[in-house]
Structures are given as C-alpha cells and as structure tokens.
Amino acid sequence: MSRKYLIAGNWKMNKTPADGADLAKEIASFVSKDESVEVVVCPTAVALDRVSQVIEDSAVKLGAQNLYPKASGAYTGEISAEMLRAVFAKYVILGHSERREYFAETDAFVNEKVKFALESNLIPILCIGETLEQREADETLEVNKTQLLGGMEGVSAEDAAKVVIAYEPVWAIGTGKTATPEMAQEVHAAIRSVLAEKYGSSVAEKIRILYGGSMKPANADDLLAQKDIDGGLIGGAALEAKSFCDLIESARKAD
Ligand code: PEP
C-alpha cells in the first residue's frame, strides 16, 4: 500500500509529565529508525515538552490534542500553534468527539482550527464520527460526510493530501464496543469517495484514514487488514506500552 500506516496514541487527560516521559521512553525503544509504521504520541499540553525531549532521537513523533486558532493573545487556558511547534509537535488532533460533546465544538470551529494548523505547518488529525442514535437512524454516512466536508471547507487539494482523517464512531470510543471491520471499512470507503469527489482520486488515495474506537491488540489485525483503514487513533490501549507496541506490531504485519 502506498499510504504509510499511522498508529497514534491519544492520551487524553491522563499521565503526568513524568509518567508520560516513562511511557514515551518505552515506546521510543520499540520503534526503530527505519520503521515502516509512523508512530505518534499525543500527551496533554503540560507533558508535551518533556515527552518531546524523550522522543527527540527516536522515530516517534509528537502530536497535541488541541490548539486555538489564533496566533496569540487573550485566550485564557488555550494553546497556540506556535507553542506546539516550539516543542516540535508535528500533529494535532482536532474535532475529537469529546471536544464536540463537552466543549460544544462545531464543524465551523473545527474547520478554523484545521486551516490554522495547516497554515502553521501542523498536520491535523481531523476526527469525525456518528453517535449511536445517528447510526440507528441510518444517518451514519450523511453525518460523517457533513463533518468531513465541514472540517475541510476551504482546504486546498495540496493541503488536503497532508491531512489525516480519523473515523471514530462515538459509540465505540472508550466503551469496549468496536465497529466490525466490515462496518468500519464501509465508512472508510465512503469517506474516501467523498474526498475523491472533492479533491480527485489521486489526492483521496494519499489521505490516511485512521479508525478509532476501542481499537486494541485483539481486534487490530482484522481492522488494519481492511483496504481503506490506514492505521488507528487509540485511546485506552495507548496508555500502556505493551498494548500500544502490540498495535504498532499489528500495523507492521499489515503493511
Ligand atoms: C479516542 O478517544 O480517540 C479513542 C479511540 O479512544 P478508545 O481507544 O479508548 O476508544
């Protein structure tokens, strides 16, 4: 496959800087310099700098969990793209369902962040996904299309090729319920065809689409074997070195 698998750990509001550094150290020692899989860890804001130093000489890359789409100023509690670049972050998770649900983030606001991240040389990991009610109402493809097009509004084809999409069915996040590989593949293929309509198929073929939602070593092989699943955005299983490294191993085998 021409797209490089990406395994990204979303640590959410877990791990002190010291605990994060320990975890990052173990992951870094597992990942080789000529790794076939791209590996990203996304600690909390306060742990970014420390984790960055730990992974500095490794192939593990740093991601943030959010940014605020302004250069600087009176935005108490927020973090800028420049600050993320200063600690050598390469990726930033945007539009996670927890931010949409608990912090009322809309597609328009997520879109501002996506564009700001790209202008700031950060790669957005744009999260989209339906709730259980929406799935049961047969709205899955429509909801994902709306969130995808909303998040990518005004993004050029050149920039779009850099963006990573994470399909995360909300009902599968942190619940232990995983979409079956077939259910996930159906949505991933639909996402790619929306991207192909908007940007053309050669750009759509370059864009990595990750699956997220209770991905763990026991279900990863089958998910990663699907044609349009290019890796995982992992919450719970990213908090332990063993399970996260097992997921990296699954992606190596799927390559
Ligand atoms: C996530 O929140 O991005 C996620 C996929 O979490 P979990 O793996 O715990 O379901």
Side-chain angles (χ1 to χ4, degrees):
M1 188 182 72
S2 59
R3 297 181 296 271
K4 190 169 187 171
Y5 277 98
L6 195 160
I7 296 291
N10 174 13
W11 295 359
K12 309 193 186 189
M13 200 171 71
N14 296 293
K15 305 283 176 194
T16 61
D19 292 342
D22 288 346
L23 175 57
K25 206 173 290 172
E26 282 192 72
I27 295 166
S29 68
F30 185 77
V31 174
S32 63
K33 286 266 162 68
D34 58 352
E35 187 62 63
S36 60
V37 176
E38 193 169 358
V39 178
V40 177
V41 291
C42 305
T44 59
V46 287
L48 281 168
D49 194 19
R50 184 111 171 239
V51 169
S52 181
Q53 290 171 39
V54 166
I55 61 177
E56 194 179 3
D57 293 321
S58 79
V60 178
K61 293 179 182 154
L62 189 67
Q65 297 178 18
N66 193 19
L67 63 66
Y68 194 73
K70 295 281 180 209
S72 62
Y75 303 102
T76 303
E78 295 297 329
I79 185 158
S80 75
E82 189 188 359
M83 292 166 192
L84 300 181
R85 295 292 312 167
V87 294
F88 306 106
K90 300 246 173 332
Y91 287 88
V92 58
I93 298 171
L94 297 174
H96 192 282
S97 62
E98 287 151 15
R99 302 243 19 123
R100 292 177 191 264
E101 182 181 352
Y102 305 132
F103 304 97
E105 292 197 6
T106 60
D107 286 334
F109 189 44
V110 173
N111 176 241
E112 262 189 73
K113 294 183 182 200
V114 166
K115 288 189 288 196
F116 201 86
L118 286 163
E119 280 163 25
S120 312
N121 274 324
L122 290 163
I123 301 174
I125 300 177
L126 169 61
C127 302
I128 59 175
E130 81 286 357
T131 62
L132 187 58
E133 296 68 41
Q134 290 165 334
R135 176 162 280 272
E136 286 173 351
D138 218 8
E139 292 168 2
T140 297
L141 299 184
E142 203 45 48
V143 167
N144 281 285
K145 182 175 181 178
T146 302
Q147 290 182 6
L148 178 63
L149 292 177
M152 297 295 280
E153 175 82 40
V155 173
S156 69
E158 193 188 345
D159 278 345
K162 301 175 202 156
V163 173
V164 175
I165 307 295
Y167 167 56
E168 301 206 301
V170 178
W171 49 271
I173 295 179
T175 57
K177 290 185 193 143
T178 325
T180 63
E182 295 71 26
M183 280 158 93
Q185 168 58 28
E186 183 195 8
V187 182
H188 281 235
I191 290 169
R192 203 175 303 287
S193 79
V194 171
L195 291 168
E197 263 170 51
K198 185 171 167 73
Y199 294 111
S201 58
S202 76
V203 171
E205 285 302 315
K206 286 188 190 135
I207 298 176
R208 289 177 296 181
I209 307 173
L210 313 184
Y211 172 78
S214 298
M215 191 188 253
K216 45 186 181 280
N219 58 30
D221 288 356
D222 291 341
L223 286 162
L224 294 171
Q226 301 299 311
K227 180 173 166 285
D228 289 291
I229 300 186
D230 306 315
L233 179 58
I234 294 119
L239 297 176
E240 298 284 340
K242 168 87 175 82
S243 47
F244 191 64
C245 292
D246 283 352
L247 291 170
I248 297 169
E249 186 58 32
S250 287
R252 285 175 182 159
K253 282 189 297 179
D255 192 33

